[in-house]
Amino acid sequence: MADGGEQEELLSPSPVSPAKRLCSWPSPQAHHPRGSPGAAGGGAGGVGSSCLVLGARPHLQPESLLDCAAKTVAEKWAYERVEERFERIPEPVQRRIVYWSFPRNEREICMYSSFQYRGGPGASAAGGAAGASPAEEGPPPPPGAAAPAGSAPGGVAAGASTGLGAGAGAAGCGGEGLPFRRGIRLLDSGSVENVLQVGFHLSGTVTELATASEPAVTYKVAISFDRCKITSVTCGCGNKDIFYCAHVVALSLYRIRKPDQVKLRLPISETLFQMNRDQLQKFIQYLITAHHTEVLPTAQKLADEILSSNSEINQVNGAPDPTAGASIDDENCWHLDEEQVKEQVKLFLSQGGYCGSGKQLSSMFAKVREMLRMRDSNGARMLTLITEQFMADPRLTLWRQQGTNMTDKCRQLWDELGALWVCIILNPHCKLEEKSCWLQQLQKWSDLDVCPLEDGNYGHELPNITNALPQNAIHSPDSLSRPRRTVFTRAIEGRELHWQDSHLQRIISSDVYTAPACQRESERLLFNSQGQPLWLEHVPTACARVDALRSHGYPKEALRLTVAIINTLRLQQQRQLEIYKHQKKELLQRGTTTITNLEGWVGHPLDPIGCLFLTLTEACRLNDDGYLEMSDMNESRPPVYQHVPVAAGSPNSSESYLSLALEVALMGLGQQRVMPEGLYAQDKVCRNEEQLLSQLQELQLDDELVQTLQKQCILLLEGDTLRLRTILEAIQKHIHSSSLIFKLAQDAFKIATPTDSSTDSTLLNVALELGLQVMRMTLSTLNWRRREMVRWLVTCATEVGVRALVSILQSWYTLFTPTEATSIVAATAVSHTTILRLSLDYPQREELASCARTLALQCAMKDPQSCALSALTLCEKDHIAFEAAYQIAIDAAAGGMTHSQLFTIARYMELRGYPLRAFKLASLAMSHLNLAYNQDTHPAINDVLWACALSHSLGKNELAALIPLVVKSVHCATVLSDILRRCTVTAPGLAGIPGRRSSGKLMSTDKAPLRQLLDATINAYINTTHSRLTHISPRHYGEFIEFLSKARETFLLPQDGHLQFAQFIDNLKQIYKGKKKLMLLVRERFG
């Protein structure tokens, strides 16, 4: 396995040749390693003149010994090693080696041309995968040992062509737009032509069919390969992406599916060797003639160098051959464009990791896991490239300088990155030098100041991956003395882990490993009472081993270790329950609880419970064709599971992997543990819990799963409900995230108030207390869910009863803001709906109403601007309280209340039948208003018109009192003229106030109080006219003329108004005589 590979630029081959190694030749008298001309078939025409005809053989016909040997050699040996090993290689042998050197598994082509390959490892574990699985190869070797001989990438037996077909071949590739699916369409439509294999080089043309908007385009495609891996690709389409384009896919699938239609030639150096001098000269001249515009300068340069005895080219024995395969020293890995990987990751990170970019990065992580599962060395290589870009993210420095935490989306991506490196380090078949190289790089990243901590600001609080927590461990008060833990720390700590333990090897290598009949003292702890093996290791670390086995293509071994871990968890659960039974009475008296797990499994950075659950459910997942077809349509479909019995050797034959998955999920969810410190860590716990719950909802409960559920419920509920108060106190003391406590309160409320049974009052009170805690925590801090929280608390208090409502009304100042208390809490508490819901009698209704009025007055005193109107509304039915609320509003009017707030209260008073009080408030509001000459669309205009109408209806005295305020506050001519017109239409004093009589006479504009309003209106028109003429443009001339027409209507109201208007027009003509066109329009309209 190699980490690297050739770094060749796509579409830009070297001027000489993209050859990987030099092919030399001996003197004519020596035996040529590739065979003499006679052995090669005699003459140039005999070399590879036939097509491939051995790709398909009759059904069940045994393979020839030549093919069996050629397959193995083609997969494991570089062709140069074959040449060095054997002095002479017959041409038929060369042909078969070259033939079998091309990749044989379409799944690998799909993996390198799609993000969405879904060939899950669980399929092979459940016996549903096509072809042999890596799991069939036996237990993994210890680190440093060679991988098993049969570990062909993709888990397909050497030489077996999968032949996935057009439908199933794209099973892993969802969506018609993916390169793999598009490549299949191109292949099926006959777009692949001129396919030629020369040695280890495949070429051909692929034609994109014409569409309504684009003509047909033909692209030249070239593929180099070695040892069943594609090592470089070139396509004329100029594809710049991480994965292969559809044209490379089409050509590759053509070679896999139709090998008998591909012309095969031996490496070009073999053909050249068989030519004499004349043939060579003819060959070269024809080649140059065919491509003289492209290769002539290069050809002349090479000719000059060859003719020069001292040139560098003459110092090397042999010449490069791009078709002769790889050198022994070349790294054997699939082609991966490193620059494109870096660019893509950099682009996604620059978009903040949100929405689509976050999904793309998650898809890249999934692709790394897929490569690891296929035993592809590019998995670690791609993860290294991704990590380099993550570490180069400029936001890391910015967050560190500003002292802010990274976003949750980025935090989740970093968590996944760290977990993947743990899998890499725990690779059961990696070489020691590779592991050492990775550890050095991880340590280098971890030492950087910008490297994110494992758990935000609390990363140093978590234990070492290789140390199990002691049962009596407590938090160290000196947390600052602990070493700094980054996201890579757990992977670095993995250097201490190995696979050589004999007990571990027996667990993962056999389904029938049980306790020996005669156990030594040291072996008794390794098995349970039924003789099943246990694995006594720190639980998250043990589960990290499972994840490593599963990720590296050992699903059966992962299942065996998972079963051993679950047996260990069962034993621990029983022991913890026994400890609690012995100490229950004492603990309840002290109000404390026993916490034997200081490190929670749910929300842990290594996600141990999720790993075990996924490993078990993958073994039970049905892989039917319908599911594969659904993935092509990008439609999600819930997984379908079946019961797969636990492998032979289990004393409980009724157990299945699916029931174990349910059991371990319930164990994790029910684990009693200390809540981690830090908001992100606590959010992560809740997020993982929700994820587990959603996965459990996908399971269809049958009798076997119900029995498992009942068994776990009995164990988890063994501690009676008296512990609920202790748990509540622990939550209030140790959880510092208001959102988490609110989520707990909502869940408790939901469980306590089922729709089909009676209410659990104890749990309902717990929900209320948690809700009160949330209110106190968020009272002085900003929280976008605050309004939702307040409404939920009132609902919860209503369910508890009238005493709870009275309590929150009386203690509102510790829970709510004045606005929340009046507009939401008190209003809901005295609503008709609440009275009916609680079936309150008269004394209870009065008590609630009295508390609400008291609250309203207190809130109005504290925040009159926001609460005065609500206080008046709540105090309507009590005269004394209403008067007090009104006085509070009056007193506050001179202070900080705005005109809009006062107008709103004034309208309310008029609506309630208090017109004089409404007038007083409206007058106060007018004193706070200032309406400029150009604010003819101001929202307060309607309030001004309403106030004037109110004073006019009350009588002449009220109108006389308001007009000076209007004149002082309103400078907009059109508004003043509207008020003047309304006041002259009807007689004042029509409101019907008791004790007042209306004169029934219309008011004159020549007398007070309207004379003052008339003069102010005329002055406003004059001032507005001059202001508008200062910066008027020709397109506004018509609008200005209409404005003067309205002004004339106001000017003509007094007896001498026509003289005033004429004088006004003459002044305009004199002052603005430079605006000739405008003055002409004025003269035409007004003379």
Side-chain angles (χ1 to χ4, degrees):
M1 185 169 118
D3 281 336
E6 281 192 17
Q7 301 187 20
E8 295 180 283
E9 288 292 332
L10 285 180
L11 306 179
S12 53
S14 166
V16 178
S17 170
K20 297 183 177 180
R21 65 184 181 91
L22 300 176
C23 297
S24 60
W25 50 88
S27 64
Q29 290 78 15
H31 290 290
H32 190 262
R34 299 185 192 273
S36 64
V47 178
S49 59
S50 63
C51 294
L52 296 175
V53 294
L54 299 177
R57 60 183 185 275
H59 185 57
L60 297 181
Q61 178 179 343
E63 287 185 326
S64 66
L65 184 60
L66 172 59
D67 272 331
C68 291
K71 285 179 183 177
T72 304
V73 170
E75 183 179 358
K76 300 298 182 185
W77 284 22
Y79 195 64
E80 185 181 18
R81 182 184 296 273
V82 178
E83 291 178 323
E84 291 181 352
R85 181 71 177 271
F86 304 100
E87 182 177 357
R88 178 178 179 275
I89 308 172
E91 181 182 350
V93 176
Q94 293 185 55
R95 286 182 178 281
R96 301 318 292 164
I97 293 176
V98 170
Y99 173 86
W100 290 114
S101 292
F102 195 83
R104 311 159 201 168
N105 190 349
E106 291 188 10
R107 292 175 183 267
E108 294 169 326
I109 307 300
C110 183
M111 181 172 69
Y112 278 91
S113 58
S114 169
F115 265 135
Q116 304 180 21
Y117 173 72
R118 299 192 188 199
S124 58
S133 166
E136 305 295 335
E137 300 163 10
S151 59
V156 178
S161 179
T162 57
L164 296 177
C173 306
E176 291 297 318
L178 295 174
F180 188 81
R181 173 56 70 186
R182 289 177 51 221
I184 289 179
R185 290 205 305 269
L186 289 171
L187 177 63
D188 292 343
S189 63
S191 299
V192 182
E193 297 175 323
N194 305 318
V195 182
L196 172 66
Q197 179 180 340
V198 180
F200 297 86
H201 185 273
L202 183 71
S203 62
T205 59
V206 180
T207 303
E208 289 274 9
L209 300 179
T211 63
S213 59
E214 296 181 0
V217 183
T218 299
Y219 299 107
K220 294 181 180 180
V221 184
I223 299 174
S224 296
F225 53 92
D226 176 58
R227 283 168 275 181
C228 299
K229 294 182 178 69
I230 291 177
T231 55
S232 71
V233 297
T234 304
C235 181
C237 70
N239 175 60
K240 291 294 182 182
D241 199 355
I242 297 176
F243 300 120
Y244 304 159
C245 65
H247 316 108
V248 172
V249 172
L251 181 60
S252 301
L253 296 183
Y254 187 97
R255 172 60 177 80
I256 293 175
R257 297 184 182 180
K258 304 177 181 180
D260 56 324
Q261 298 181 26
V262 178
K263 295 180 180 179
L264 174 65
R265 301 289 189 272
L266 293 180
I268 193 67
S269 54
E270 284 286 342
T271 305
L272 295 177
F273 178 75
Q274 297 171 33
M275 295 182 183
N276 58 34
R277 184 192 177 286
D278 292 340
Q279 290 173 324
L280 282 171
Q281 183 169 357
K282 182 179 291 188
F283 169 78
I284 293 171
Q285 289 184 214
Y286 268 96
L287 178 63
I288 294 175
T289 302
H291 304 283
H292 66 278
T293 58
E294 302 172 18
V295 304
L296 187 57
T298 302
Q300 185 60 55
K301 179 183 176 182
L302 291 174
D304 294 341
E305 291 185 5
I306 290 174
L307 293 175
S308 174
S309 59
N310 297 325
S311 64
E312 182 179 352
I313 199 171
N314 285 323
Q315 307 303 316
V316 179
N317 185 27
D321 181 359
T323 67
S327 171
I328 297 175
D329 299 327
D330 288 341
E331 295 169 322
N332 181 230
C333 60
W334 284 78
H335 170 72
L336 181 67
D337 193 332
E338 294 189 0
E339 290 304 318
Q340 283 302 312
V341 172
K342 293 178 181 179
E343 287 299 320
Q344 291 285 345
V345 176
K346 185 177 181 179
L347 174 64
F348 296 148
L349 287 174
S350 68
Q351 296 170 357
Y354 293 109
C355 196
S357 62
K359 292 180 180 178
Q360 291 289 342
L361 287 170
S362 297
S363 296
M364 294 185 76
F365 288 145
K367 181 58 63 176
V368 170
R369 286 191 178 273
E370 182 185 340
M371 290 177 173
L372 296 179
R373 187 167 57 247
M374 302 283 278
R375 318 278 176 79
D376 191 333
S377 60
N378 278 338
R381 180 180 166 204
M382 185 171 176
L383 185 61
T384 301
L385 299 173
I386 294 173
T387 308
E388 288 174 351
Q389 295 306 307
F390 266 67
M391 291 300 299
D393 189 348
R395 292 177 300 170
L396 293 178
T397 303
L398 184 64
W399 286 327
R400 178 176 175 80
Q401 291 174 348
Q402 296 179 346
T404 56
N405 295 325
M406 67 174 65
T407 62
D408 281 356
K409 293 286 186 182
C410 292
R411 180 76 251 182
Q412 293 169 31
L413 293 172
W414 275 102
D415 287 346
E416 177 66 13
L417 190 67
L420 276 172
W421 274 114
V422 173
C423 281
I424 296 289
I425 296 300
L426 293 183
N427 182 352
H429 62 260
C430 77
K431 299 177 182 178
L432 290 176
E433 55 269 23
E434 289 177 331
K435 186 173 182 179
S436 176
C437 180
W438 292 332
L439 287 169
Q440 290 177 6
Q441 184 61 61
L442 288 171
Q443 190 64 58
K444 180 180 177 182
W445 287 328
S446 185
D447 290 340
L448 295 176
D449 291 337
V450 296
C451 186
L453 299 181
E454 185 176 52
D455 198 21
N457 294 328
Y458 298 89
H460 54 273
E461 294 291 338
L462 297 176
N464 188 292
I465 189 174
T466 57
N467 297 334
L469 285 174
Q471 295 297 311
N472 58 352
I474 59 174
H475 279 298
S476 169
D478 188 14
S479 60
L480 294 177
S481 63
R482 299 192 180 186
R484 175 175 174 265
R485 297 182 60 83
T486 69
V487 291
F488 302 120
T489 299
R490 290 185 180 271
I492 295 171
E493 291 167 352
R495 65 158 59 96
E496 307 296 334
L497 300 176
H498 58 80
W499 298 90
Q500 283 90 353
D501 184 272
S502 59
H503 181 58
L504 175 61
Q505 284 290 322
R506 292 190 183 100
I507 289 175
I508 64 179
S509 62
S510 174
D511 290 325
V512 295
Y513 177 46
T514 57
C518 299
Q519 294 184 16
R520 294 192 297 260
E521 186 67 27
S522 59
E523 293 178 336
R524 291 182 180 177
L525 295 177
L526 302 180
F527 302 90
N528 61 13
S529 58
Q530 290 83 31
Q532 295 173 297
L534 306 175
W535 181 239
L536 302 174
E537 188 176 31
H538 180 220
V539 172
T541 305
C543 296
R545 290 184 184 273
V546 172
D547 193 24
L549 288 170
R550 179 178 143 270
S551 298
H552 289 282
Y554 296 100
K556 285 193 174 181
E557 288 77 6
L559 278 173
R560 292 163 184 155
L561 184 55
T562 296
V563 174
I565 294 172
I566 292 177
N567 289 332
T568 308
L569 295 180
R570 287 170 173 170
L571 189 60
Q572 292 179 359
Q573 189 181 45
Q574 283 295 129
R575 289 177 179 174
Q576 291 176 6
L577 187 58
E578 292 172 1
I579 293 173
Y580 170 71
K581 287 181 178 179
H582 286 96
Q583 301 177 356
K584 179 169 68 172
K585 185 175 181 180
E586 177 185 355
L587 292 170
L588 290 176
Q589 288 176 350
R590 293 187 315 188
T592 60
T593 182
T594 56
I595 300 179
T596 55
N597 299 290
L598 297 182
E599 186 179 31
W601 300 331
V602 177
H604 190 279
L606 297 177
D607 192 18
I609 298 300
C611 171
L612 298 182
F613 183 85
L614 190 59
T615 302
L616 292 165
T617 52
E618 280 181 346
C620 305
R621 190 165 183 163
L622 287 175
N623 289 310
D624 57 322
D625 292 338
Y627 167 73
L628 301 179
E629 292 300 324
M630 289 291 285
S631 68
D632 283 340
M633 295 182 290
N634 275 337
E635 296 181 9
S636 59
R637 174 178 170 182
V640 179
Y641 299 107
Q642 62 180 350
H643 282 285
V644 177
V646 175
S650 172
N652 189 353
S653 59
S654 64
E655 281 187 339
S656 70
Y657 291 124
L658 197 59
S659 64
L660 289 183
L662 174 60
E663 183 176 358
V664 76
L666 294 175
M667 282 183 180
L669 292 169
Q671 181 203 24
Q672 188 182 9
R673 58 195 180 273
V674 173
M675 197 68 171
E677 298 186 48
L679 295 182
Y680 174 75
Q682 295 179 5
D683 283 333
K684 186 177 180 182
V685 170
C686 289
R687 188 167 56 250
N688 280 26
E689 286 178 347
E690 293 172 354
Q691 183 180 3
L692 265 179
L693 291 172
S694 66
Q695 289 173 330
L696 288 176
Q697 290 175 352
E698 295 176 350
L699 303 181
Q700 298 294 326
L701 289 180
D702 51 24
D703 293 340
E704 185 173 344
L705 294 183
V706 168
Q707 290 177 5
T708 303
L709 181 62
Q710 290 174 341
K711 181 179 70 174
Q712 272 301 308
C713 287
I714 292 173
L715 290 173
L716 294 174
L717 297 177
E718 194 73 28
D720 49 48
T721 56
L722 295 176
R723 303 179 69 182
L724 196 57
R725 173 60 53 181
T726 303
I727 294 173
L728 173 62
E729 293 175 357
I731 291 172
Q732 293 174 327
K733 181 178 179 181
H734 297 292
I735 299 183
H736 307 295
S737 169
S738 58
S739 59
L740 295 184
I741 298 179
F742 183 53
K743 182 67 171 60
L744 288 173
Q746 288 179 307
D747 291 342
F749 178 79
K750 185 177 180 180
I751 296 172
T753 55
T755 56
D756 54 353
S757 60
S758 59
T759 300
D760 185 340
S761 58
T762 304
L763 192 56
L764 189 59
N765 278 285
V766 168
L768 178 62
E769 291 198 39
L770 290 175
L772 295 174
Q773 176 81 356
V774 172
M775 291 297 101
R776 287 188 284 267
M777 294 174 68
T778 58
L779 179 59
S780 58
T781 59
L782 294 177
N783 191 305
W784 65 274
R785 300 185 65 189
R786 171 74 184 182
R787 192 172 185 85
E788 175 194 354
M789 294 172 174
V790 173
R791 292 187 182 279
W792 178 88
L793 182 72
V794 177
T795 302
C796 183
T798 303
E799 288 295 327
V800 174
V802 66
R803 301 316 310 165
L805 285 174
V806 170
S807 176
I808 64 174
L809 289 173
Q810 292 176 342
S811 58
W812 70 268
Y813 46 86
T814 64
L815 304 171
F816 314 108
T817 64
T819 304
E820 294 169 346
T822 53
S823 62
I824 300 177
V825 182
T828 306
V830 298
S831 66
H832 186 64
T833 303
T834 302
I835 294 173
L836 293 178
R837 176 73 181 83
L838 298 178
S839 303
L840 301 180
D841 54 24
Y842 180 75
Q844 290 175 324
R845 293 200 298 270
E846 282 301 305
E847 182 181 14
L848 266 182
S850 176
C851 290
R853 289 192 292 268
T854 303
L855 175 149
L857 294 175
Q858 292 173 345
C859 293
M861 288 292 293
K862 189 171 184 179
D863 186 6
Q865 293 88 348
S866 303
C867 302
L869 181 59
S870 297
L872 288 167
T873 305
L874 291 168
C875 297
E876 283 178 354
K877 297 181 181 179
D878 186 279
H879 177 70
I880 297 175
F882 187 79
E883 290 295 324
Y886 171 70
Q887 192 58 46
I888 291 172
I890 293 295
D891 295 341
M897 294 189 74
T898 64
H899 61 81
S900 60
Q901 293 170 335
L902 289 170
F903 274 128
T904 302
I905 298 174
R907 286 175 179 266
Y908 166 80
M909 297 302 293
E910 184 196 26
L911 185 64
R912 303 307 303 172
Y914 297 102
L916 293 176
R917 294 185 177 185
F919 172 74
K920 185 174 182 179
L921 288 165
S923 300
L924 292 171
M926 287 297 302
S927 65
H928 289 71
L929 179 65
N930 185 20
L931 207 62
Y933 76 92
N934 58 349
Q935 292 182 302
D936 51 358
T937 59
H938 195 281
I941 291 176
N942 287 332
D943 290 326
V944 173
L945 296 176
W946 168 83
C948 292
L950 174 65
S951 63
H952 185 268
S953 67
L954 290 176
K956 185 175 181 180
N957 294 334
E958 284 75 10
L959 183 60
L962 186 66
I963 283 178
L965 297 175
V966 173
V967 170
K968 182 179 179 181
S969 302
V970 180
H971 307 287
C972 182
T974 54
V975 176
L976 290 173
S977 63
D978 195 6
I979 295 172
L980 184 62
R981 182 184 57 80
R982 292 171 185 245
C983 291
T984 57
V985 171
T986 59
L990 299 179
I993 304 298
R996 296 195 182 189
R997 296 176 59 188
S998 173
S999 64
K1001 297 181 180 180
L1002 297 178
M1003 298 180 67
S1004 172
T1005 57
D1006 292 329
K1007 297 180 180 180
L1010 293 186
R1011 183 65 195 188
Q1012 182 182 3
L1013 180 60
L1014 175 62
D1015 292 341
T1017 305
I1018 291 174
N1019 288 332
Y1021 269 117
I1022 293 173
N1023 294 332
T1024 303
T1025 299
H1026 288 296
S1027 298
R1028 295 184 66 170
L1029 285 174
T1030 304
H1031 302 289
I1032 194 169
S1033 62
R1035 68 175 181 273
H1036 294 138
Y1037 284 175
E1039 180 185 340
F1040 177 74
I1041 297 299
E1042 294 301 322
F1043 175 77
L1044 286 181
S1045 299
K1046 293 181 180 179
R1048 181 172 60 179
E1049 294 175 3
T1050 303
F1051 271 88
L1052 294 179
L1053 287 177
Q1055 293 180 355
D1056 59 345
H1058 64 284
L1059 297 176
Q1060 292 186 41
F1061 186 72
Q1063 182 63 40
F1064 173 56
I1065 294 297
D1066 289 340
N1067 290 338
L1068 291 181
K1069 294 176 184 177
Q1070 185 65 30
I1071 296 173
Y1072 302 101
K1073 58 185 178 181
K1075 302 181 183 295
K1076 296 180 180 180
K1077 185 175 181 180
L1078 177 60
M1079 291 303 107
L1080 179 62
L1081 294 175
V1082 171
R1083 192 175 293 109
E1084 290 176 355
R1085 176 68 68 91
F1086 305 108

